[in-house]
Amino acid sequence: MPYAVEVSEAGIWFGREGDVFWAYVHGDFTDDAFAGYLAALPAAFAPTDRPSAMFTVAHSPRMPSASHRKALAELAESELGPRLQRHAIVSNSAIAQGVVTALSWLSRKPYEEKIFRTPTDAIAWLQERHPHVGEGLWSRISARVPASSRFEGGR
């Protein structure tokens, strides 16, 4: 059974499918919604001792503030790093793609991270290390996100 907590009024949805924690961010979100998302991450990674994967879709996202990026980095280093093996990000934002690429050059994370333009490419990359990532992952995630917020670019 997937772990699931939704903060749908804020444009952030997230849950767990097997060993994959997924997050879907669309448009603007509040600081309170982001705090709720951060608070849920440690619990989402707790159910398994196997290395996990993370799949994030950032569809026309609000760019995280410096304090958001710092909080994510601290959490990744302290709690998620030992349990997280790969993080695939999908975004239709050229700015987000550039920021993630630049930050990956500047900082070392305890896990691999890569940004993609399509969910299909991101899931294929995750499957290289996590063959248990199911083929239907994208359709199951999409079904939990309201139609008005779904990323329709490239499958």
Side-chain angles (χ1 to χ4, degrees):
M1 173 166 259
Y3 169 85
V5 176
E6 295 186 6
V7 188
S8 55
E9 73 279 359
I12 301 175
W13 299 264
F14 49 97
R16 188 169 183 95
E17 291 285 336
D19 288 342
V20 178
F21 177 81
W22 62 269
Y24 193 107
V25 181
H26 177 234
D28 203 6
F29 52 84
T30 66
D31 288 340
D32 287 343
F34 193 80
Y37 168 68
L38 280 181
L41 280 172
F45 280 90
T48 182
D49 290 332
R50 287 196 325 198
S52 293
M54 189 166 175
F55 179 67
T56 302
V57 176
H59 176 212
S60 302
R62 165 187 168 192
M63 295 307 295
S65 67
S67 63
H68 292 162
R69 289 190 306 273
K70 180 180 179 190
L72 272 172
E74 288 172 353
L75 184 65
E77 191 168 314
S78 67
E79 295 191 41
L80 303 184
R83 292 179 271 175
L84 180 59
Q85 192 174 52
R86 276 194 164 181
H87 181 199
I89 303 168
V90 177
S91 185
N92 63 335
S93 165
I95 293 171
Q97 291 169 0
V99 167
V100 169
T101 300
L103 289 175
S104 70
W105 293 337
L106 298 172
S107 66
R108 294 199 172 215
K109 294 183 178 172
Y111 52 88
E112 295 177 85
E113 185 172 75
K114 192 170 177 182
I115 191 160
F116 300 88
R117 293 182 190 269
T118 70
T120 303
D121 291 342
I123 290 170
W125 182 73
L126 287 176
Q127 286 174 326
E128 290 173 6
R129 284 270 181 95
H130 299 273
H132 56 276
V133 171
E135 292 296 325
L137 177 64
W138 177 239
S139 61
R140 289 191 305 276
I141 292 170
S142 293
R144 297 183 62 193
V145 175
S148 61
S149 293
R150 288 189 196 140
F151 179 82
E152 299 297 339
R155 303 250 185 255

